[in-house]
């Protein structure tokens, strides 16, 4: 039996549970070393007492920190920095590294390391690899944040490089990465793996899921000549091989002009590859398939897709590292067998952020669609709509009108023929379209239909407000379940769907016919300006009225500009004009305070709960506009729509059969004017009810906190509705579930959901047609006509917006809560959206050229860059 010390662990004793002692890399390597058929670098030495590898554990690192009191002080300073404190990060990080490298390694640690080196062979070459306790974890890889040193020979050189690895925990990139991931610098420790240096003829990276598409059944292998340093540092283009179900499906051979090899006395050096070999494949087909099987075995052992570093020496594959792939979007769990296809709900709702469990619960309670949860988002299973050729065609044509990217992605997936293939039919297949996509009940041009629906919703909401006050405890949750039935009755009442579709269908008819008869595109956009009864566009104009109430009072304006607290009402009342300002703000909140960014998630903070969120927009309106701007904007839109109607009808009357065409067009224009505004009301009704539910639920949460049942009110956000209902009955929360879901949510927030996702985890992307698009232009979906040029403002959070009149807003998505910003801008570009999503509807009503569905718009367009938005043709030019 080997005698073990306190600062060195040998790999034969290391398991995956020892992250705290040997870091993520060390723990994973320990697991790998015990797997049959997988070799981790070792020496075939007859003496069984010689360790295969060893790891200088985190106790040694903690001792080093203790030997340097200044480091503790610097770590305290570092813990208060944010991502914006770049200069301080660089300065303090450098000081910490210098302090660590200056520490003399204590004799006890030095002796243990020296003993391990002596047993392994001091003359051998080693790879010295950092292994932090916050790396290679299931939720964050932290890959490449700390140092690795190759081909290190000699005891003193090894000691020096171990010290460098310790110091590398505080490189600028490592510090910034921890801040971005919310990791406490003082709770991360570093171990150092000392590993045989494999003199590799080839090396690379293997992903057991395609890192680009996410397909869990595709293995992706990158391979280069020599050591892997050239590949991971980007010095060479690697070969890439794709393997699926034991078959090589793709190979891309690159010109590999450089190779990194070991130097005889230590270190590495770059060499040029002979021109005759540069385009040779690194691996044979047989080697590719062997490596793929090794990867699948490792994946099965760890139970999750892996990012594996490998090398090849003497025709033997060695695995030098394996970590979870942390960037994959989760696959929805489905009770249905076979291949499934899912569409993102968030892309339809213009809110692709992750949702907490309680928020997911309420959405699931009101939708009849077959929903699945993945990554804190909702996806609808559309597989049944693709089961027959006729059904698939009808479904894709319908969704394609709103979002061409979804249609193109589905066509691509079906066209491949390797995942889902609609069966041929005789044209009499059952109608599988969702209710909103089926023919609606007929409603005529009677504008009272929309008014009747609004009044019914308002009356029902007042009944809810009155009745919910007397409910508490488990009775409250039973009451909410009953009231959700009333909400669903209102939403799925036939006239409600018919009213929504009447305006949409009339707009589509106008656009199609005016293009056919007059050669003019997107005419309905101009006709949709300032339609009556659009509660969302009215919300944006109403905030201009709030600015009008505040603008005459300089003290109030100065007070709001200097605001540093969320609670400003008390101080406001003491100022000249403060009461008038408070009345205007409270009046606005009385009608719209239930709204907020991401409002379909009931757990999101509402404007009424944090009115300070509106202050930047109010101040922008005070600064950018004159009194009465709200009415002027509405009147201007009304006048332009009326003039466009007269122009169109006049031109139509000049055509053959012109009177009939003009008469039918007039009927369609009236449908647009009568019903387009109602499109926004059902969601307003939903969030209005949500807010009443939330206020009552949070009162129950406060009681639970006071009773010592839960720690804080927001803990209930991480329970599904049924679980919260049960908690009210038992008074026994499971904090393992709550904290686990809180951690999951923090991870899910960083993920980007795909529009289309398969049950293999593959993200299917669509493309826009590129005809008549200038070279270098950025393409999207045109949703509001016109051309505008101006300054782009890239805004990721509404409360961070600093807009001037005439700016073009570029953002990820805009749900109704963003509408108050629309009054300041003259163009809109979003990454998410479709023809009838909220941003598109409001852009048309305000007469703003707009393009949505622009992938990566917030990265492709820089803040304050000059751009030209072609809202009719669907592309953006950077000036």
């Amino acid at each position: 039996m080997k005698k073990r010390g306190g600062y060195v662990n040998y790999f034969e004793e290391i398991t995956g549970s020892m992250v705290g002692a040997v870091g993520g890399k060390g723990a994973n390597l320990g697991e790998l070393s015990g797997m049959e058929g997988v070799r981790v670098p070792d020496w075939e030495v007859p003496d069984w007492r010689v360790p295969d590898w060893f790891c200088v554990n985190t106790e040694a690192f903690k001792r080093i920190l203790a030997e340097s009191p200044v480091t503790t002080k610097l770590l305290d300073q570092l813990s208060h920095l944010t991502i914006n404190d770049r200069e301080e990060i660089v300065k303090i990080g450098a000081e910490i590294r210098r302090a660590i490298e200056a520490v003399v390694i204590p004799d006890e640690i030095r002796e243990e390391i020296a003993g391990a080196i002596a047993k392994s062979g001091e003359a051998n070459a080693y790879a010295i690899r950092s292994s932090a306790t916050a790396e290679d974890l299931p939720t964050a890889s932290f890959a490449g944040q700390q140092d690795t040193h190759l081909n290190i020979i000699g005891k003193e050189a090894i000691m020096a490089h171990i010290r460098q690895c310790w110091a590398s925990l505080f490189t600028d990139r490592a510090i910034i990465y921890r801040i971005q991931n919310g990791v406490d610098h003082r709770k991360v420790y570093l171990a150092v793996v000392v590993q045989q240096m494999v003199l590799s003829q080839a090396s690379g990276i293997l992903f057991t899921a395609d890192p680009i598409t996410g397909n869990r059944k595709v293995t992706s292998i990158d391979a280069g000549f020599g050591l892997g340093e050239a590949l991971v540092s980007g010095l060479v283009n690697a070969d890439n091989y794709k393997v699926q179900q034991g078959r090589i499906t793709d190979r891309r051979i690159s010109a590999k002009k450089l190779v990194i090899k070991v130097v005889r006395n230590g270190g590495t050096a770059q060499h040029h590859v002979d021109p005759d070999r540069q385009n040779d494949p690194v691996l044979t087909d047989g080697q590719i398939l062997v490596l793929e099987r090794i990867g699948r075995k490792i994946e099965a052992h760890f139970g999750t897709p892996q990012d594996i570093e490998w090398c090849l020496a003497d025709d033997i594959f060695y695995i030098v590292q394996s970590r979870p792939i942390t960037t994959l979007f989760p696959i929805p769990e489905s009770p249905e067998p076979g291949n499934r296809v899912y569409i993102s709900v968030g892309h339809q709702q213009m809110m692709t952020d992750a949702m907490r469990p309680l928020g997911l619960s309420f959405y699931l309670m009101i939708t009849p669609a077959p929903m699945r949860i993945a990554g804190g988002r909702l996806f609808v299973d559309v597989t049944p709509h693709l089961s027959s050729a006729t059904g698939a065609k009808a479904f894709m044509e319908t969704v394609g009108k709103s979002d061409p990217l979804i249609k193109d992605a589905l066509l691509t997936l079906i066209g491949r023929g390797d995942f889902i293939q609609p069966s041929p039919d005789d044209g009499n297949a059952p109608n599988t379209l969702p209710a909103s996509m089926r023919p609606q009940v007929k409603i005529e041009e009677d504008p009272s239909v929309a008014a009747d629906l609004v009044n019914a919703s308002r009356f029902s909401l007042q009944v809810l407000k009155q009745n919910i006050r007397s409910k508490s405890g488990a009775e409250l949750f039973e009451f909410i379940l009953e009231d959700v039935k009333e909400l669903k009755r209102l939403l799925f009442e036939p006239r409600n769907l018919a009213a929504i579709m009447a305006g949409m269908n009339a707009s589509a008819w106008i656009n199609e016919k005016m293009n056919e008869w007059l050669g003019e595109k997107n005419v309905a956009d101009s006709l949709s300006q300032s339609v009556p009864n659009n509660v969302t566009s009215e919300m944006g104009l109403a905030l201009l009225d709030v600015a009008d109430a505040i603008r005459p009072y300089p003290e109030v304006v100065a007070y709001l500009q200097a605001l540093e607290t969320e609670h400003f009402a008390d101080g406001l009342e003491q100022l000249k004009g403060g009461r008038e300002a408070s009345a205007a703000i409270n009046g606005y909140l009385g009608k719209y305070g239930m709204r907020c960014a991401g409002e379909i998630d009931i757990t999101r903070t509402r404007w009424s709960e944090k009115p300070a969120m509106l202050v930047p927009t109010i101040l922008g309106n005070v600064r950018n506009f004159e009194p009465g701007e709200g009415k002027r904007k509405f009147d201007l839109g009304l006048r332009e729509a009326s003039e466009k109607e007269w122009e169109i009808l006049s031109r139509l009357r000049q055509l053959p059969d012109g009177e009939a065409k003009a008469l039918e067009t007039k009927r369609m224009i009236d449908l647009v004017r009568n019903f387009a505004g109602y499109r926004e009301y059902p969601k307003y009704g939903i969030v209005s009810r949500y807010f009443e539910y939330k206020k009552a639920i949070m009162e129950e949460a406060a009681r639970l906190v006071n009773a010592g049942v839960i720690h804080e009110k927001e803990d209930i956000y991480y329970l599904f509705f049924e679980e919260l209902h049960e908690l009210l009955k038992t008074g026994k929360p499971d904090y393992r579930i709550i904290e686990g879901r809180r951690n999951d949510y923090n991870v899910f927030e960083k993920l980007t959901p795909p529009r289309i996702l398969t049950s293999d985890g593959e993200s299917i992307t669509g493309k826009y047609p590129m005809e008549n698009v200038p070279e270098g232009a950025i393409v999207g979906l045109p949703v509001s006509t016109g051309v505008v040029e101006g300054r782009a403002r890239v805004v990721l959070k509404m409360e961070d917006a600093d807009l001037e009149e005439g700016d073009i807003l570029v953002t990820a998505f805009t749900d109704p809560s963003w509408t108050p910003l629309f009054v300041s801008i003259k163009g809109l570009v979003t990454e998410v959206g479709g023809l009838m999503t909220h941003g598109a509807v409001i852009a048309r009503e305000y007469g703003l050229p707009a393009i949505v569905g622009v992938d990566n718009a917030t990265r492709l367009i820089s803040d304050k860059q000059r751009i030209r938005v072609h809202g009719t043709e669907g592309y953006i030019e950077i000036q």
Side-chain angles (χ1 to χ4, degrees):
M1 186 74 178
K2 297 178 182 177
K3 182 180 178 180
R4 304 300 187 193
Y7 299 108
V8 170
N9 290 95
Y10 297 104
F11 270 60
E12 62 193 36
E13 65 183 356
I14 293 173
T15 65
S17 63
M18 295 175 63
V19 173
V22 298
K25 187 183 284 100
N28 287 349
L29 282 170
E31 283 287 305
L32 287 170
S33 65
M35 289 178 59
E36 180 183 355
V38 178
R39 295 193 61 177
V40 182
D42 63 357
W43 289 271
E44 296 190 15
V45 182
D47 186 349
W48 63 271
R49 291 173 296 179
V50 176
D52 297 322
W53 313 279
F54 66 89
C55 181
V56 183
N57 62 36
T58 55
E59 291 303 315
F61 180 76
K62 293 174 187 176
R63 176 76 181 276
I64 293 298
L65 293 183
E67 296 285 329
S68 176
V70 69
T71 302
T72 302
K73 181 180 177 181
L74 291 169
L75 280 172
D76 288 338
Q77 295 176 21
L78 196 62
S79 67
H80 294 100
L81 301 183
T82 70
I83 198 69
N84 297 318
D85 301 317
R86 295 299 175 101
E87 289 186 8
E88 281 297 297
I89 288 171
V90 172
K91 177 176 174 290
I92 295 175
E95 291 180 21
I96 294 175
R97 294 195 300 274
R98 283 195 296 268
I100 291 174
E101 291 183 9
V103 171
V104 177
I105 299 177
D107 290 342
E108 305 96 292
I109 300 176
R110 186 179 179 86
E111 288 172 5
E112 279 200 50
I113 296 173
I117 294 171
K119 290 178 181 179
S120 299
E122 190 172 334
N124 288 321
Y126 294 85
I128 315 297
R129 302 179 186 275
S130 303
S131 180
T133 54
E135 72 173 8
D136 294 356
L137 304 179
T139 57
S141 72
F142 286 74
Q145 300 305 310
Q146 288 85 43
D147 284 359
T148 290
H149 303 281
L150 301 179
N151 198 36
I152 308 305
I153 301 172
K155 181 175 69 177
E156 292 308 318
I158 293 170
M159 295 286 184
H161 284 89
I162 288 172
R163 190 187 286 109
Q164 288 179 31
C165 284
W166 286 332
S168 73
L169 189 63
F170 300 101
T171 61
D172 299 343
R173 67 178 184 272
I175 293 169
I176 291 169
Y177 195 80
R178 286 196 294 274
I179 292 173
Q180 290 173 329
N181 285 274
V183 177
D184 190 335
H185 305 291
R186 294 167 295 188
K187 294 182 180 179
V188 180
Y189 303 106
L190 197 87
V192 181
V193 171
V194 181
Q195 191 177 47
Q196 176 200 4
M197 184 67 209
V198 179
L199 305 180
S200 52
Q201 65 201 60
S203 54
I205 301 170
L206 178 152
F207 297 95
T208 63
D210 191 314
I212 305 301
T213 69
N215 194 326
R216 307 308 199 266
K217 292 183 177 178
V218 172
T219 294
S220 179
I221 300 170
D222 287 344
F225 295 131
L227 301 179
E229 187 179 2
L231 191 151
V232 298
S233 60
L235 293 175
V236 298
N237 294 321
D239 287 358
N240 179 259
Y241 314 106
K242 298 287 177 67
V243 183
Q244 186 169 8
Q245 297 177 330
R247 184 174 61 88
I248 300 171
T249 58
D250 187 39
R251 56 167 60 79
R252 298 183 184 181
I253 309 302
S254 299
K256 299 164 286 294
K257 298 181 180 180
L258 287 176
V259 61
I260 293 181
K261 297 180 180 181
V262 299
V263 176
R264 181 174 182 181
N265 294 319
T268 62
Q270 294 182 18
H271 298 270
H272 290 286
V273 178
D274 291 340
D276 292 344
R277 290 194 60 216
Q278 289 179 2
N279 292 298
D280 288 351
V282 174
L283 300 177
T284 67
D285 286 3
Q287 289 170 333
I288 292 169
L289 296 176
V290 167
L291 188 55
E292 189 266 347
R293 288 196 293 271
I294 293 172
R296 288 296 173 198
K297 185 172 182 118
I298 294 172
E299 178 187 60
H301 179 82
F302 285 107
T304 185
Q306 295 289 297
D307 167 357
I308 299 165
E309 292 185 22
W310 57 270
C311 51
L312 178 65
D314 298 325
D315 295 323
I316 297 175
F317 283 108
Y318 292 86
I319 306 301
V320 295
Q321 188 169 324
S322 185
R323 64 172 72 92
I325 305 175
T326 59
T327 56
L328 296 175
F329 198 86
I331 301 174
E333 293 186 10
S334 174
E336 304 294 337
N339 293 339
R340 315 300 296 179
V341 181
Y342 307 100
I343 289 181
S344 163
V345 173
H347 284 79
Q348 312 308 304
Q349 289 293 329
M350 293 288 281
M351 208 293 279
T352 55
D353 289 348
M355 296 171 66
R356 298 175 181 89
L358 190 61
L360 293 168
S361 289
F362 274 90
Y363 199 97
L364 289 169
M365 281 195 281
I366 64 173
T367 178
M371 293 287 176
R372 306 289 179 256
I373 298 173
R377 279 81 168 183
L378 289 168
F379 291 82
V380 60
D381 186 347
V382 299
T383 313
H385 308 310
L386 307 176
S387 59
S388 71
T390 300
K393 182 179 179 182
F395 178 75
M396 287 188 288
E397 286 299 322
T398 304
V399 298
K401 291 176 182 177
S402 175
D403 192 336
L405 288 181
I406 289 181
K407 176 183 177 181
D408 189 70
L410 291 173
L411 284 170
T412 298
L413 180 63
I414 292 173
R416 283 185 352 201
D418 61 352
F419 185 81
I420 191 166
Q421 190 64 49
S423 59
D425 54 55
D426 57 6
N428 296 315
N431 189 351
T432 63
L433 288 176
S436 61
M437 296 182 180
R438 297 175 190 170
Q440 306 300 319
V441 297
K442 286 284 186 181
I443 58 171
E444 298 303 322
E445 292 81 353
D446 182 1
S448 66
V449 172
D452 289 346
L453 290 168
V454 169
N455 289 333
S457 178
R458 287 174 176 168
F459 178 77
S460 179
L461 180 62
Q462 288 304 314
V463 173
L464 165 63
K465 289 181 177 180
Q466 182 176 351
N467 292 339
I468 201 170
R469 294 173 187 165
S470 61
K471 303 298 186 291
S472 63
E475 183 186 12
L476 169 65
F477 287 81
E478 289 154 10
F479 172 81
I480 289 174
L481 284 173
E482 284 300 310
D483 191 76
V484 167
K485 295 178 182 177
E486 168 67 2
L487 173 57
K488 291 169 72 174
R489 182 190 69 78
L490 291 168
L491 290 175
F492 300 111
E493 201 259 290
R495 289 192 310 161
N496 180 57
L497 293 175
I500 293 171
M501 297 306 296
M504 293 171 62
N505 291 337
S507 293
W509 186 94
I510 289 171
N511 284 337
E512 179 184 345
K513 294 300 181 181
M514 296 310 102
N515 191 25
E516 177 186 341
W517 294 339
L518 301 176
E520 186 172 346
K521 293 182 178 180
N522 303 332
V523 170
D525 295 356
S526 300
L527 298 169
S528 299
Q529 294 183 80
S530 298
V531 293
N533 301 316
N534 187 321
V535 70
T536 305
S537 62
E538 290 169 0
M539 176 177 69
L541 299 176
L543 205 59
L544 287 169
D545 298 338
V546 174
D548 288 351
I550 291 172
R551 190 179 292 106
Y553 303 104
E555 286 185 44
V556 173
V557 174
Y559 174 80
L560 294 176
Q561 287 173 333
L563 193 65
E564 294 182 355
T565 175
E566 296 175 5
H567 309 288
F568 61 88
D570 294 339
L572 190 61
E573 292 280 346
Q574 312 306 316
L575 304 174
K576 182 182 179 180
R579 291 186 179 181
E580 290 84 348
S582 291
I585 292 172
N586 290 332
Y588 185 85
L589 293 175
K591 187 168 184 180
Y592 304 111
M594 78 294 291
R595 311 214 82 153
C596 67
E599 61 191 11
I600 62 171
D601 181 354
I602 198 173
T603 70
R604 289 294 189 99
T605 302
R606 310 283 143 173
W607 289 341
S608 285
E609 296 171 317
K610 188 180 174 182
M613 291 191 290
L614 290 171
V615 169
T617 307
I618 294 172
L619 290 174
N621 290 345
V622 169
R623 182 177 65 248
N624 294 329
F625 300 107
E626 296 295 322
E629 183 65 20
K631 185 176 187 306
R632 274 197 301 275
K633 281 185 177 291
F634 185 83
D635 289 347
L636 176 62
L638 198 62
R639 184 168 64 253
E640 289 181 350
S642 178
E643 290 172 354
K644 190 66 177 179
E645 177 181 336
W646 183 88
E647 175 210 326
I648 288 296
L649 296 179
S650 297
R651 289 167 62 190
L652 286 173
R653 291 189 181 102
Q654 308 306 311
L655 301 177
D657 200 21
E659 284 299 328
K661 289 175 178 174
L663 185 64
E664 182 63 7
T665 300
K666 172 61 176 170
R667 188 176 79 84
M668 291 297 176
I669 291 173
D670 288 344
L671 281 173
V672 170
R673 302 296 302 174
N674 289 338
F675 293 107
Y678 180 74
R679 163 74 175 78
E680 292 293 303
Y681 197 85
K683 191 171 188 181
Y684 177 80
I686 292 172
V687 296
S688 296
R689 279 187 125 79
Y690 271 13
F691 192 39
E692 298 306 315
Y693 299 156
K694 183 180 183 182
K695 287 186 289 186
I697 288 172
M698 294 311 286
E699 287 181 10
E700 289 301 313
R703 281 192 276 271
L704 291 174
V705 171
N706 293 334
V709 175
I710 59 176
H711 302 158
E712 52 188 42
K713 293 187 296 183
E714 290 74 16
D715 289 348
I716 68 169
Y717 292 164
Y718 300 96
L719 296 175
F720 287 94
F721 185 85
E722 299 80 3
E723 295 170 336
L724 183 53
H725 192 181
E726 187 66 21
L727 174 60
L728 263 292
K729 297 176 183 176
T730 65
K732 296 178 179 179
D734 188 336
Y735 263 92
R736 290 175 301 175
I737 290 177
I738 291 172
E739 292 305 323
R741 289 178 181 166
R742 194 193 310 272
N743 292 335
D744 287 344
Y745 176 77
N746 291 335
V747 173
F748 295 156
E749 278 190 302
K750 300 178 180 69
L751 300 178
T752 301
R755 278 183 174 81
I756 303 287
L757 185 64
T758 75
S759 51
D760 283 348
E762 184 178 8
S763 171
I764 310 295
T765 57
K767 295 180 180 179
Y768 292 110
M770 299 294 288
E771 302 90 39
N772 303 319
V773 174
E775 185 178 353
I778 302 169
V779 182
L781 175 66
V783 294
S784 186
T785 194
V787 178
V788 65
E789 183 176 327
R791 182 180 70 157
R793 293 311 310 265
V794 179
V795 180
L796 300 182
K797 292 183 179 179
M798 177 188 165
E799 55 266 33
D800 294 337
D802 181 17
L803 299 171
E804 295 180 4
E805 186 178 12
D807 283 343
I808 297 171
L809 177 61
V810 180
T811 188
F813 59 79
T814 59
D815 63 5
S817 70
W818 287 67
T819 304
L821 298 183
F822 283 29
V823 299
S824 297
I825 62 176
K826 63 179 181 181
L828 175 69
V829 177
T830 70
E831 295 180 339
V832 174
L835 189 63
M836 294 310 299
T837 48
H838 301 280
V841 171
I842 303 305
R844 288 194 290 272
E845 179 157 342
Y846 282 1
L848 303 174
I851 302 175
V852 303
V854 183
D855 284 340
N856 300 313
T858 57
R859 291 193 285 271
L860 295 173
I861 300 171
S862 299
D863 189 39
K864 300 183 181 179
Q865 197 168 35
R866 298 287 299 183
I867 62 173
R868 183 184 293 119
V869 175
H870 295 259
T872 305
E873 301 298 332
Y875 62 86
I876 303 125
E877 292 179 289
I878 296 177
Q879 302 298 293

